[in-house]
Amino acid sequence: AQKITQTQPGMFVQEKEAVTLDCTYDTSDPSYGLFWYKQPSSGEMIFLIYQGSYDQQNATEGRYSLNFQKARKSANLVISASQLGDSAMYFCAMREASGSARQLTFGSGTQLTVLP
Amino acid sequence: DTAVSQTPKYLVTQMGNDKSIKCEQNLGHDTMYWYKQDSKKFLKIMFSYNNKELIINETVPNRFSPKSPDKAHLNLHINSLELGDSAVYFCASSQVLAATNEKLFFGSGTQLSVL
């Protein structure tokens, strides 16, 4: 079974608007961490934001915020005031405390295009 | 200074050849990884080393052999390259293995094309 599911292969958003990228996860481990990474067309992987399973508040980093709904097992990324430079592939990932070596497992990604 | 550097950035080679990709991190991290990103952009872990010891070895063919001469370096050697090996290979590092909040720092990737 997939541990991380990103159901939106592609998304479009108008410049300056907000956009939500969906991510659901599957784990029975009470302790885990959720991550979002950005991969622009140049190819590098850029860390954006982290949410811990025990964190009471949603994580925020500048224009990025994570809408963490633990009961629904969702960790959606919200990008406010989109900019052209936000056009990229976005990956949701999870690390569980248990399991072999606590590897970081990635979803299939969402390609975001910001329109001028 | 680049935190995680891998070379080469592009590698074009014939089927059957042997090639290596080098990775170095100057972050003082204990753990290093190799990930493979396929043509559909899916990222899958291949190997993980912690303090030069192999921790994760996913279902990767024996033709792939990682080597960690010290904890700052994790090289990937691939024997008898096949067409299906064409992908982007990412090296990454993290400070420690154990913590769930440890983010990965990635290299810029090596685009391998097997002809």
Side-chain angles (χ1 to χ4, degrees), chain A residues 2 31-33 35 37 39 42-45 47 50 89 91 95-97 100-104 106-108, chain B residues 9 33 35 37 40-43 45 55-56 58 90 94 97-104 106-108:
Chain A
Q2 283 226 325
S31 178
Y32 52 90
F35 302 76
Y37 280 82
Q39 186 178 38
S42 50
E44 71 269 32
M45 294 287 289
F47 166 76
Y50 165 81
M89 192 78 163
F91 292 96
R95 176 183 274 122
E96 299 161 286
S100 66
R102 300 173 185 176
Q103 57 177 297
L104 194 61
F106 286 84
S108 54
Chain B
K9 186 158 175 67
Y33 310 80
Y35 276 82
Q37 186 173 41
K40 295 184 178 177
K41 300 289 189 181
F42 188 67
L43 271 156
I45 191 161
I55 303 297
I56 296 173
E58 288 294 304
F90 282 98
S94 65
L97 177 63
T100 54
N101 64 347
E102 275 300 312
K103 68 184 184 191
L104 263 57
F106 282 85
S108 55

Side-chain angles (χ1 to χ4, degrees), chain A residues 24-110:
Chain A
T24 57
Y25 58 92
D26 181 27
T27 181
S28 55
D29 195 328
S31 178
Y32 52 90
L34 296 156
F35 302 76
W36 278 91
Y37 280 82
K38 171 184 177 180
Q39 186 178 38
S41 57
S42 50
E44 71 269 32
M45 294 287 289
I46 303 166
F47 166 76
L48 296 177
I49 196 166
Y50 165 81
Q51 179 85 44
S53 59
Y54 294 117
D55 292 344
Q56 295 295 316
Q57 294 192 327
N58 287 343
T60 58
E61 289 283 352
R63 293 185 300 108
Y64 303 109
S65 60
L66 204 151
N67 184 0
F68 181 46
Q69 297 188 43
K70 197 168 180 177
R72 290 186 173 185
K73 294 187 175 176
S74 77
N76 299 339
L77 177 71
V78 180
I79 306 174
S80 62
S82 298
Q83 301 171 356
L84 295 177
D86 294 335
S87 292
M89 192 78 163
Y90 289 81
F91 292 96
C92 180
M94 177 175 66
R95 176 183 274 122
E96 299 161 286
S98 63
S100 66
R102 300 173 185 176
Q103 57 177 297
L104 194 61
T105 303
F106 286 84
S108 54
T110 295

Side-chain angles (χ1 to χ4, degrees), chain B:
Chain B
D1 261 356
T2 307
V4 181
S5 59
Q6 55 181 107
T7 54
K9 186 158 175 67
Y10 300 98
L11 188 50
V12 182
T13 188
Q14 299 283 338
M15 245 172 44
N17 284 351
D18 303 339
K19 290 291 177 187
S20 291
I21 307 172
K22 295 187 175 182
C23 180
E24 175 182 3
Q25 53 96 1
N26 63 5
L27 298 166
H29 287 171
D30 285 343
T31 311
M32 294 185 73
Y33 310 80
W34 278 108
Y35 276 82
K36 178 180 179 180
Q37 186 173 41
D38 63 22
S39 57
K40 295 184 178 177
K41 300 289 189 181
F42 188 67
L43 271 156
K44 186 169 167 52
I45 191 161
M46 300 173 69
F47 301 103
S48 166
Y49 268 73
N50 188 52
N51 273 319
K52 301 196 301 171
E53 264 192 64
L54 180 66
I55 303 297
I56 296 173
N57 182 356
E58 288 294 304
T59 48
V60 175
N62 292 340
R63 300 180 295 102
F64 290 81
S65 53
K67 291 277 184 341
S68 183
D70 55 61
K71 74 174 194 178
H73 295 84
L74 180 62
N75 304 323
L76 183 66
H77 188 77
I78 316 169
N79 287 331
S80 304
L81 278 154
E82 299 178 358
L83 294 176
D85 297 333
S86 294
V88 180
Y89 292 84
F90 282 98
C91 177
S93 72
S94 65
Q95 189 155 9
V96 295
L97 177 63
T100 54
N101 64 347
E102 275 300 312
K103 68 184 184 191
L104 263 57
F105 292 77
F106 282 85
S108 55
T110 295
Q111 171 81 61
L112 172 64
S113 300
V114 183
L115 307 178

Side-chain angles (χ1 to χ4, degrees), chain A residues 8-14 19-21 64 77 79 82-90 109-115:
Chain A
Q8 308 152 315
M11 286 281 284
F12 291 88
V13 66
Q14 210 66 42
V19 63
T20 298
L21 306 183
Y64 303 109
L77 177 71
I79 306 174
S82 298
Q83 301 171 356
L84 295 177
D86 294 335
S87 292
M89 192 78 163
Y90 289 81
T110 295
Q111 180 69 50
L112 176 67
T113 304
V114 180
L115 304 170

